Amino acid sequence: MTSRFTNWRKSRYSEPNGTCVEVAPSSIGTVGIRDSKAHSAGPILELTRHEWTNLLQTIRSVQAR
């Protein structure tokens, strides 16, 4: 599953101690999310572009409160 995800990048809100999530696009247009502490061996949450957009909007609306 992970082979189709490329260009993993850490969240800009990552903690200095390495506690963070990484995201990457896939070759089929989905977005993968993983825990960077798992060193590529952990599970990947795969979202459609629509789901990814909704997740970001929800996070931003909660942060704005």
Side-chain angles (χ1 to χ4, degrees):
M1 180 177 178
T2 60
S3 62
R4 69 174 180 223
F5 293 100
T6 56
N7 302 320
W8 287 97
R9 65 183 190 279
K10 290 185 181 183
S11 166
R12 64 181 142 192
Y13 297 103
S14 299
E15 296 289 327
N17 65 2
T19 304
C20 62
V21 297
E22 296 176 315
V23 298
S26 79
S27 58
I28 61 169
T30 59
V31 177
I33 306 168
R34 69 181 183 188
D35 183 348
S36 64
K37 295 184 303 294
H39 303 290
S40 305
I44 296 172
L45 176 63
E46 187 171 5
L47 303 175
T48 65
R49 288 282 179 191
H50 180 72
E51 292 168 331
W52 175 245
T53 299
N54 285 342
L55 175 64
L56 292 179
Q57 288 174 345
T58 300
I59 291 169
R60 289 175 182 142
S61 70
V62 170
Q63 287 177 340
R65 292 182 189 168

